[in-house]
Amino acid sequence: MSWSRLRYLPGQIGLAMVVFAIWEGLVQAEVLSAHLYGYPSGIAAKVYGLLSTGELFRHAGVTAFAAILGFLLGSAIGSFAGLCLWLNETVARIVRPFIVAINGVPKIAFAPLIIVWFGIGIESKIAIAAALTFIVSLIATYNGTLETDRDLLRLMRSLGATRLQSWRKVVVPAALPWVLSTLRLNVGFALIGAVVGEYISSQEGLGYLVYYSGVLYDLNGVWAGILALMVVALLMDRGVTEIDRRLRW
Amino acid sequence: MVNKHYPLETRGLSVTFNAGGENEVVAFSDITFTLKADEILAIVGPSGCGKSTLFNVIAGLQPATVGEVFVNGTRVLDAKGQVGYMLQKDMLLPWRSVRENVGLGLEIKGVPKEERNAVADRLIAAYGLKGFENSKPGTLSGGMRQRVAFMRTLALDPDVILLDEPFSALDFQTRILLQGEVMDIIGKQRKSAILVTHDIGEAITMADRVMILSRRPGRVKQIVSIDLDRDERDPVKLRSNTRYQEYFQLLWSELDI
Ligand SMILES: Nc1ncnc2c1ncn2[C@@H]1O[C@H](COP(=O)(O)OP(=O)(O)O)[C@@H](O)[C@H]1O
Ligand SMILES: [Mg+2]
């Protein structure tokens, strides 16, 4: 695993270097405007400056905290609710159209409501990240439970299992791969939630950094924030890989 | 009502899907038969004539539209747990070890862990899978997996075992081997079994009687007794037995394929 990753590392670094070099060259030759696009050496200087003042860590920490907490809350509650929906078909049928409707709306449209309810502090960012991941987990997990092999459920009944026993012993473990693969999607959704919350109203966080830099036409600052978001996303993805490795059967 | 207590008896069973609806399907109709103690009854019939549905009814997984099922003389609406059930697919839970799969039925009944592990380990050792107790099903061959599925059925010690084409997904050698093993186990443990198969040779090899069902809606066309001793029932040698060939001709001509 680590070997096969390392094997491609030179190519990956090379690709990034080539892109940065072309970008830098185009800006130096004044084909691209430094003002509108930013440029790698300026971004590097910006990152260095933000790192030396500790600002970048502070912003990244705030965003990561909101995204991770929202991710954990939303994914856990959403997955559990999705699993539980299998237990009662009547309830599932009643709530189904509502879930479909909510899922159809770009969920980020709910963000202003959540900020009104939870205020402009970090709670609202956590809540937005949690809401997004909740919906995604709920739907994916419930659909996962519906994929349970019908013959397997018949077998359980032939052994005398109650619905609750079939759920615990078959449906939940069988849906686990769905739960786990949804976690990976949810890393993205949690970050979207936290960053959008910060765009709308905030005094800190990477979303704030990106938004505020953009308003000031500090494109290098925007890029610095985006790079930091990528690092946070990669770290969260690593975390999910670890969870996956421990839970997968 | 029932004088003699057969392990299993059905009276006038019929199942109609979507009754009254536009796509009404009569799966089978008026099926009456008895399963005697220590007997293997094979059921052969064209595909779609309702064999699997009949098993669902007998195992209490779905109600009959008309008719009744008796297990050991008492009418059952719910034979779950009393009637063991084994399908073509082994239905092993891939996240459980062999031991935990074998003990599944006992676990559902609430038997404590130590006790059910002891039962499972005894079965696993008796049926030649010692050393695989902690293996996951994914690491076993098809024949081993089907053996584990059979142990899971036996663990609950049911009087009646339903086998729905249990060997049809296996390669020839494994199938022959398992046919022999299952016959021996059912004989030794004094169980009764119904075997659904589309393999006439398998029916003659394993069964004491063969029930032939008609095309859908399935009805009992004929029940043929197979008078062969256990020691004649060697799956390979039996093929050259003239009586085997006669039975084969008879069953073949009766089947609406
Ligand atoms: N749930 C169902 N609803 C409607 N028709 C069904 C259902 N289950 C089975 N059938 C139909 O009943 C008939 C008997 O099916 P089955 O018992 O599986 O036959 P067999 O096992 O003999 O091949 C088939 O025609 C099948 O299409
Ligand atoms: Mg069938």
Side-chain angles (χ1 to χ4, degrees):
Chain A
M1 184 68 188
S2 59
W3 162 241
S4 62
R5 277 183 183 210
L6 285 180
R7 216 169 100 177
Y8 298 110
L9 196 59
Q12 287 159 345
I13 292 174
L15 177 64
M17 296 309 260
V18 168
V19 170
F20 286 145
I22 293 174
W23 184 1
E24 184 79 28
L26 290 174
V27 170
Q28 297 298 342
E30 297 188 6
V31 178
L32 292 179
S33 148
H35 195 56
L36 292 182
Y37 292 88
Y39 53 100
S41 58
I43 297 167
K46 186 80 192 181
V47 169
Y48 181 76
L50 286 170
L51 280 176
S52 53
T53 61
E55 269 180 281
L56 198 56
F57 281 121
R58 186 168 61 85
H59 289 309
V62 167
T63 302
F65 179 75
I68 291 172
L69 203 58
F71 167 87
L72 291 176
L73 282 172
S75 303
I77 300 172
S79 303
F80 185 66
L83 291 172
C84 288
L85 269 187
W86 182 88
L87 282 172
N88 192 315
E89 210 172 325
T90 312
V91 174
R93 279 177 193 271
I94 290 172
V95 300
R96 197 185 181 93
F98 296 100
I99 296 175
V100 172
I102 291 172
N103 191 42
V105 180
K107 285 165 281 298
I108 217 64
F110 294 106
L113 285 177
I114 295 179
I115 290 185
V116 170
W117 295 334
F118 286 83
I120 59 169
I122 193 150
E123 297 85 353
S124 60
K125 284 75 185 173
I126 297 168
I128 297 170
L132 293 194
T133 52
F134 171 82
I135 297 279
V136 174
S137 276
L138 174 71
I139 292 172
T141 306
Y142 179 58
N143 286 336
T145 63
L146 296 183
E147 296 284 318
T148 314
D149 191 328
R150 297 178 135 267
D151 285 334
L152 214 48
L153 295 172
R154 274 202 307 166
L155 170 83
M156 289 298 285
R157 287 206 292 138
S158 83
L159 293 171
T162 61
R163 195 166 175 87
L164 189 62
Q165 284 177 318
S166 294
W167 182 76
R168 271 184 30 217
K169 295 181 203 303
V170 172
V171 175
V172 171
L176 193 63
W178 268 271
V179 173
L180 294 176
S181 56
T182 309
L183 291 187
R184 187 143 277 138
L185 285 178
N186 272 349
V187 167
F189 283 109
L191 278 170
I192 290 174
V195 168
V196 167
E198 289 164 359
Y199 276 8
I200 296 176
S201 81
S202 173
Q203 302 297 320
E204 54 186 354
L206 291 173
Y208 165 79
L209 175 67
V210 168
Y211 182 77
Y212 192 69
S213 303
V215 170
L216 297 179
Y217 278 90
D218 174 7
L219 273 297
N220 290 331
V222 172
W223 282 114
I226 290 173
L227 287 178
L229 277 171
M230 287 179 178
V231 172
V232 173
L234 282 175
L235 290 177
M236 285 180 71
D237 195 74
R238 279 296 308 159
V240 168
T241 304
E242 193 56 30
I243 296 175
D244 196 318
R245 204 176 56 78
R246 279 159 195 265
L247 292 185
R248 194 171 287 272
W249 36 265
Chain B
M1 272 175 68
V2 183
N3 304 325
K4 193 164 177 245
H5 288 187
Y6 291 110
L8 184 85
E9 184 170 359
T10 73
R11 294 215 195 132
L13 284 185
S14 301
V15 165
T16 308
F17 288 110
N18 310 315
E22 147 181 8
N23 38 9
E24 179 178 291
V25 176
V26 182
F28 55 81
S29 125
D30 197 24
I31 294 203
T32 299
F33 69 88
T34 53
L35 179 68
K36 297 172 189 158
D38 310 334
E39 157 176 78
I40 298 180
L41 173 73
I43 300 181
V44 295
S47 176
C49 74
K51 303 179 295 289
S52 296
T53 308
L54 177 63
F55 270 13
N56 285 340
V57 171
I58 295 173
L61 303 180
Q62 114 179 36
T65 313
V66 183
E68 290 166 326
V69 178
F70 297 84
V71 173
N72 291 323
T74 39
R75 183 176 163 200
V76 287
L77 297 169
D78 187 352
K80 284 173 214 149
Q82 295 181 60
V83 174
Y85 194 29
M86 183 170 160
L87 307 174
Q88 177 183 339
K89 288 193 276 177
D90 53 63
M91 293 295 156
L92 299 180
L93 302 179
W95 51 86
R96 284 176 171 244
S97 66
V98 165
R99 177 188 289 126
E100 291 165 338
N101 268 290
V102 173
L104 180 63
L106 295 169
E107 185 179 322
I108 288 167
K109 275 179 77 178
V111 174
K113 186 169 185 156
E114 288 203 353
E115 213 173 303
R116 61 178 194 253
N117 282 350
V119 172
D121 286 354
R122 195 152 31 75
L123 284 165
I124 291 166
Y127 301 124
L129 282 180
K130 201 171 172 59
F132 290 95
E133 290 85 351
N134 295 311
S135 305
K136 292 282 161 70
T139 64
L140 306 182
S141 71
M144 290 159 94
R145 293 169 60 104
Q146 204 56 313
R147 233 176 241 140
V148 175
F150 192 54
M151 289 177 216
R152 177 185 61 201
T153 310
L154 291 177
L156 279 181
D157 201 24
D159 293 329
V160 176
I161 298 175
L162 307 179
L163 305 161
D164 194 352
E165 305 189 17
F167 312 120
S168 55
L170 303 174
D171 63 77
F172 181 75
Q173 280 172 319
T174 313
R175 191 185 321 158
I176 298 280
L177 201 68
L178 278 185
Q179 285 169 355
E181 283 181 20
V182 167
M183 263 192 289
D184 287 341
I185 293 162
I186 288 173
K188 274 191 207 127
Q189 305 212 354
R190 322 225 55 198
K191 309 267 180 212
S192 312
I194 309 181
L195 169 76
V196 162
T197 178
H198 53 240
D199 177 346
I200 296 177
E202 179 170 287
I204 300 170
T205 307
M206 292 184 67
D208 300 294
R209 289 185 302 153
V210 180
M211 180 163 97
I212 306 165
L213 294 185
S214 68
R215 217 185 280 269
R216 199 183 78 212
R219 289 166 188 279
V220 181
K221 272 189 94 172
Q222 197 179 338
I223 297 183
V224 178
S225 289
I226 309 292
D227 296 314
L228 294 167
D229 294 331
R230 175 63 187 92
D231 54 353
E232 287 179 286
R233 292 173 183 265
D234 178 283
V236 180
K237 281 187 219 140
L238 189 57
R239 309 256 156 157
S240 50
N241 184 321
T242 50
R243 275 190 296 155
Y244 170 88
Q245 288 156 6
E246 283 162 22
Y247 285 129
F248 199 99
Q249 292 295 332
L250 172 65
L251 293 172
W252 181 254
S253 63
E254 285 294 319
L255 262 176
D256 305 316
I257 295 179

